[in-house]
């Protein structure tokens, strides 16, 4: 008679109901630190359920629009974004989602673990504000690593805002690398040119093909400097890194930028991603000439960790909802969680997701060591090596896992106003942006090719992890098998990267 209605899955505090995070943190953090972090994550988890998740949903339902002209034909490029998006940005600042990673009052060895855990809780409810946060973190890291805050007042001012906890004052940053000719091959594809104005400023002209979170305040981008004879250096060695404010601080007008169009995307619809014409953008050169790519790599290596967080947090969300649903939905006379086959399906997803979370926390641990100055050269190498692997592995796993998770809801998983389909749509970007799987695989080879010690460092790391993990005999046997497989991988990679002079493309062909 149609009078049955299914009890929907409900979102519970993502920290207190996470099956692994709390235990992992109690192992990774000293007791007092763990206590504070745990308290913060618990209250943030409550806020996600009571406030943040609805805002994320609102941002999805009110996608951004671009008004290019006013009624009189004046070019205005007015971006209209959901109020929920701005509120989420404010909450992100207040909650310290960037600042925790840089807060001088916190122990630099552990604060990244805290920050990354918080971002992991935030991800699926964030209305894609996770994207500008990733780039903001990347910009702050670049400023710190290159000591730009010590060299330029403007960058010091920007840094303080990027890491601010004041929701009304905090800034976000963009990351404009991709052009029509190349998003992977940035060196080959970059057609943005920089002219020295002689006053410490450059004027940039070019076209940026994908520019996400275009409501940002500042940006890091790449361009080719035109020398006094009008020549440029081609390839990645011709690129330098530039910092720019997106609007003039007084007039609030766009800084020589035209928003040509907003992209119509499969997912990430909450996120304003624009094509931009750079038509005389005032910018500051912040790297040595020709060192643009290695300089922006500081940003890339951080945004790639954020990407992994996004991938695994989407996995976590779909599994948590599916587990809850399995306690509510009845089929063939039993609740779904009483059917062993359904539980076996969920268990497989759990294993993958938990492995992803541990991998992220390991990256956070190594990043904390690097930033506290306590990392050994081996740990620094391992962080460099693991970052692309973490990003490519979690991104690649997320899409099929979430697809399986959607199937756990049957037909309801396919219905838009459950909010479930957007998880799959949004996750589909994680293997693509911030470097596709193949491009990151080549980055792994780049690391092997550039440093002979990386092989030993990796093996040492694996050995230490296995030694510290367990005394259980069967698990140890299993771990030994994993180790043999990794050894095989290391030896194969070592053979591939033997000729250090070979270009990556040659390695690839090999
Ligand atoms: C929700 C969370 C997620 C947030 C997402 C935020 C939204 C933003 C979305 C974006 O997608 S932003 C754009 C992201 N774009 C990419 O990820 C570009 C993909 N392409 C690559 O990663 C290429 O490998 C790269 C362009 C970086 C380099 O290609 P090349 O031209 O073949 O570089 P080459 O000549 O091998 O290296 C140049 C230098 O950079 C070398 O240093 P040296 O000159 O000192 O030898 C490299 O070692 C160095 N390098 C390259 N990648 C590095 C690196 N150094 C450190 N870390 C790396 N990852
Ligand atoms: P291509 O480089 O054309 O790649 C096509 C295929 O070729 C891929 O499968 C790739 O793996 C493969 N391939 C390429 N080179 C090799 C190789 N050497 N060996 C083997 N396989 C290879 N970029 C920004 O700079 N800023 C942003 O804010 C931003 N936001 C984005 C938002 C969204 C929603 C999306 C989808 C993209 C965004 N991007 C952004 C762009 C993104 O980083 C690029 O699309 C991505 O890096 C891939 O570049 P491409 O599109 O040029 O693909």
């Amino acid at each position: 008679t149609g009078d049955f209605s299914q009890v929907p899955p409900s979102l519970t505090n993502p920290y207190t109901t996470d099956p692994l995070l709390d235990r992992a943190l109690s192992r990774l953090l000293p007791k007092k630190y763990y206590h504070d972090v745990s308290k913060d994550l618990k209250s943030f988890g409550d806020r996600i359920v009571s406030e943040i998740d609805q805002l994320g949903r609102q941002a999805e339902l009110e996608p951004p629009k671009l008004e290019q002209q006013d009624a009189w034909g004046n070019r205005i490029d007015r971006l209209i974004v959901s109020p929920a998006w701005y509120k989420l940005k404010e909450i992100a600042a207040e909650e310290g989602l960037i600042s925790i990673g840089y807060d001088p009052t916190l122990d630099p060895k552990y604060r990244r673990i805290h920050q990354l855990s918080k971002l992991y809780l935030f991800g699926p409810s964030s209305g894609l504000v996770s994207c500008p946060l990733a780039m903001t973190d990347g910009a702050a890291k670049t400023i710190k690593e290159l000591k730009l805050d010590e060299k330029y007042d403007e960058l010091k001012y920007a840094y303080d805002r990027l890491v601010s906890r004041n929701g009304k004052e905090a800034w976000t940053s963009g990351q404009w690398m991709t052009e029509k000719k190349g998003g992977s091959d940035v060196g080959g594809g970059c057609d943005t040119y920089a002219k020295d104005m002689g006053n410490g400023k450059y004027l940039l002209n070019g076209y940026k093909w994908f520019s996400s979170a275009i409501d940002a305040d500042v940006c890091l981008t790449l361009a080719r400097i035109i020398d006094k004879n009008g020549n440029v250096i081609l390839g990645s060695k011709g690129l330098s890194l530039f910092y720019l404010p997106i609007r003039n601080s007084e007039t609030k007008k766009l800084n020589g930028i035209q928003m040509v169009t907003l992209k119509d995307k499969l997912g990430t619809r909450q996120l304003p991603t624009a094509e931009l014409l750079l038509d005389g953008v005032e910018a500051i050169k912040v790297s040595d000439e020709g060192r643009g790519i290695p300089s922006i790599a500081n940003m890339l290596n951080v945004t790639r960790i954020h990407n992994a967080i996004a991938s695994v947090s989407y996995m976590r969300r779909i599994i948590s909802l599916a587990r809850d649903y399995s306690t509510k939905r009845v089929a063939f006379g039993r609740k779904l969680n009483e059917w062993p086959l359904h539980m076996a399906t969920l268990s497989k997803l759990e294993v993958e997701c938990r492995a992803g979370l541990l991998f992220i926390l390991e990256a956070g641990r190594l990043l904390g060591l690097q930033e506290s100055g306590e990392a050994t050269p081996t740990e620094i190498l391992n962080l460099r090596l693991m970052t692309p692997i973490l990003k490519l592995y979690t991104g690649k796993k997320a899409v099929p896992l979430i697809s399986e998770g959607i199937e756990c809801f049957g037909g309801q998983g396919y219905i838009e106003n459950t909010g479930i389909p957007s998880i799959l749509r949004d996750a589909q970007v994680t293997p693509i942006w911030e470097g596709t799987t193949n491009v990151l695989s080549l980055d792994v080879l780049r690391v092997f090719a550039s440093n002979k010690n990386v092989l030993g460092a990796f093996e040492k790391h694996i050995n230490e992890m296995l030694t510290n993990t367990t005394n259980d005999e069967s698990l140890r046997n299993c771990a030994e098998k994993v180790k043999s497989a990794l050894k095989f991988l290391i030896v194969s990679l070592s053979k591939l990267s033997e000729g250090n002079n070979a270009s990556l493309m040659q390695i690839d062909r090999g």
Side-chain angles (χ1 to χ4, degrees):
T1 59
D3 61 353
F4 170 79
S5 48
Q6 176 61 48
V7 181
S10 39
L11 178 65
T12 48
N13 183 319
Y15 177 60
T16 54
T17 59
D18 190 287
L20 184 64
L21 180 58
D22 180 62
R23 264 189 298 151
L25 292 177
S26 71
R27 180 174 55 80
L28 285 165
L29 300 173
K31 210 166 175 185
K32 166 76 177 79
Y33 207 103
Y34 160 73
H35 178 77
D36 293 347
V37 169
S38 173
K39 203 166 142 211
D40 182 45
L41 295 182
K42 168 148 190 337
S43 94
F44 187 52
D46 286 339
R47 194 172 183 189
I48 286 174
V49 177
S50 64
E51 181 185 4
I52 295 173
D53 196 59
Q54 290 91 312
L55 290 168
R57 181 76 187 137
Q58 190 188 335
E60 160 86 10
L61 296 175
E62 296 169 0
K65 293 191 198 102
L66 178 61
E67 228 173 68
Q68 276 165 325
Q69 298 196 147
D70 69 9
W72 308 100
N74 297 305
R75 183 87 193 210
I76 50 169
D77 286 353
R78 191 164 80 93
L79 186 66
I80 304 155
V81 184
S82 168
W85 168 268
Y86 291 118
K87 181 69 190 161
L88 285 162
K89 281 175 69 169
E90 239 178 83
I91 291 175
E94 274 170 23
E95 291 283 348
L97 288 171
I98 301 306
S99 81
I100 290 170
Y102 297 86
D103 187 337
T105 67
L106 299 173
D107 188 334
K109 219 161 113 186
Y110 303 116
R111 63 193 179 195
R112 284 291 191 178
I113 294 178
H114 179 186
Q115 182 204 14
L116 302 191
S117 303
K118 210 163 174 180
L119 286 163
Y120 162 76
L121 301 181
F122 187 56
S125 299
S126 72
L128 251 298
V129 161
S130 52
C131 168
L133 290 184
M135 300 190 288
T136 301
D137 199 349
K141 175 78 173 169
T142 307
I143 292 173
K144 273 288 153 200
E145 289 295 322
L146 302 180
K147 298 191 179 8
L148 301 176
D149 52 337
E150 295 169 23
K151 293 183 196 156
Y152 307 94
D153 290 346
E154 241 179 283
L155 273 285
K156 162 83 180 98
Y157 187 81
Y159 175 79
D160 288 344
R161 266 145 198 78
L162 294 172
V163 302
S164 171
R165 266 190 185 256
N166 181 329
K168 306 278 181 225
E169 284 179 4
W171 281 5
T172 56
S173 174
Q175 170 185 8
W176 304 343
M177 297 176 69
T178 307
E179 301 200 6
K180 285 191 192 176
K181 270 201 254 170
S184 307
D185 182 11
V186 178
C190 180
D191 261 335
T192 299
Y193 298 94
K195 200 166 159 212
D196 191 348
M197 301 306 291
N199 57 357
K201 296 264 163 84
Y202 285 74
L203 276 192
L204 307 188
N205 287 283
Y207 197 92
K208 297 293 176 185
W209 184 230
F210 277 93
S211 313
S212 286
I214 190 55
D215 61 318
D217 303 275
V218 295
C219 179
L220 291 179
T221 193
L222 297 164
R224 242 174 256 293
I225 293 176
I226 306 173
D227 72 15
K228 50 183 183 305
N229 301 318
N231 298 322
V232 293
I233 298 170
L234 298 176
S236 57
K237 299 238 175 321
L239 296 180
S240 303
L241 182 63
F242 292 85
Y243 161 87
L244 59 105
I246 289 179
R247 289 174 186 275
N248 180 296
S249 59
E250 275 141 38
T251 64
K252 304 292 171 212
K253 289 210 163 130
L254 284 166
N255 170 15
I257 299 163
Q258 283 183 28
M259 296 191 197
V260 178
T261 184
L262 287 186
K263 299 278 197 190
D264 182 8
K265 297 171 287 178
L266 166 68
T268 69
R269 292 181 189 164
Q270 319 85 321
L271 171 72
T273 302
E275 287 173 33
L276 300 177
L277 177 70
L278 311 192
D279 187 13
V281 172
E282 270 198 24
I284 303 176
K285 176 170 75 66
V286 291
S287 73
D288 288 340
E289 231 170 291
R291 299 299 292 164
I293 298 255
S295 301
I296 206 165
N298 288 296
M299 182 175 222
L300 282 177
N301 291 333
V302 165
T303 47
R304 286 172 181 171
I305 294 175
H306 280 251
N307 197 87
I309 295 171
S311 306
V312 180
S313 69
Y314 288 133
M315 295 184 202
R316 180 70 264 152
R317 174 60 55 86
I318 196 88
I319 299 169
S320 296
L321 292 177
R323 279 177 64 161
D324 185 59
Y325 192 62
S326 77
T327 66
K328 293 171 173 164
R329 176 75 172 168
V330 173
F332 300 101
R334 285 192 202 172
K335 288 196 177 140
L336 295 180
N337 69 352
E338 291 165 26
W339 287 114
L341 194 52
H342 190 69
M343 294 317 282
T345 304
L346 284 173
S347 309
K348 270 195 249 161
L349 308 188
E350 270 292 348
V351 171
E352 207 58 76
C353 174
R354 293 186 196 188
L357 175 60
L358 290 175
F359 202 168
I360 290 166
L361 292 172
E362 180 57 9
R365 188 184 74 83
L366 291 172
L367 189 58
L369 285 173
Q370 184 254 322
E371 290 176 350
S372 62
E374 289 187 42
T376 61
T378 305
E379 284 161 337
I380 288 175
L381 263 180
N382 278 321
L383 176 63
R384 172 69 184 93
L385 176 68
M386 277 184 205
T387 303
I389 301 176
L390 171 67
K391 191 284 187 185
L392 78 87
Y393 185 79
T394 53
K396 201 66 182 169
K397 286 284 173 187
V399 180
L401 189 152
I402 291 159
S403 169
E404 180 82 88
I406 284 193
E407 198 178 328
C408 291
F409 297 89
Q412 286 306 102
Y414 206 70
I415 299 305
E416 272 297 332
N417 60 358
T418 61
I420 295 169
S422 65
I423 303 178
L424 182 62
R425 276 203 296 273
D426 292 347
Q428 177 64 71
V429 81
T430 67
I432 298 174
W433 66 10
E434 291 304 345
T436 61
T437 313
N438 278 351
V439 166
L440 291 172
S441 307
L442 292 174
D443 190 46
V444 174
L445 292 184
R446 179 188 282 113
V447 181
F448 275 93
S450 65
N451 195 319
K452 274 195 228 136
N453 296 334
V454 78
L455 300 170
F458 189 49
E459 202 181 349
K460 186 162 173 262
H461 189 81
I462 297 294
N463 275 335
E464 277 169 13
M465 288 203 21
L466 291 182
T467 313
N468 296 335
T469 319
T470 177
N471 288 323
D472 180 304
E473 190 63 23
S474 59
L475 277 179
R476 283 203 144 275
N477 286 339
C478 180
E480 279 307 318
K481 281 189 192 147
V482 173
K483 199 171 127 190
S484 314
L486 283 169
K487 260 190 168 168
F488 175 77
L489 180 74
I490 289 171
V491 172
S492 311
L493 283 171
S494 142
K495 284 195 177 137
L496 276 175
S497 57
E498 250 160 23
N500 270 5
N501 296 330
S503 74
L504 279 175
M505 296 308 282
Q506 281 167 330
I507 292 170
D508 187 29
R509 277 196 289 275

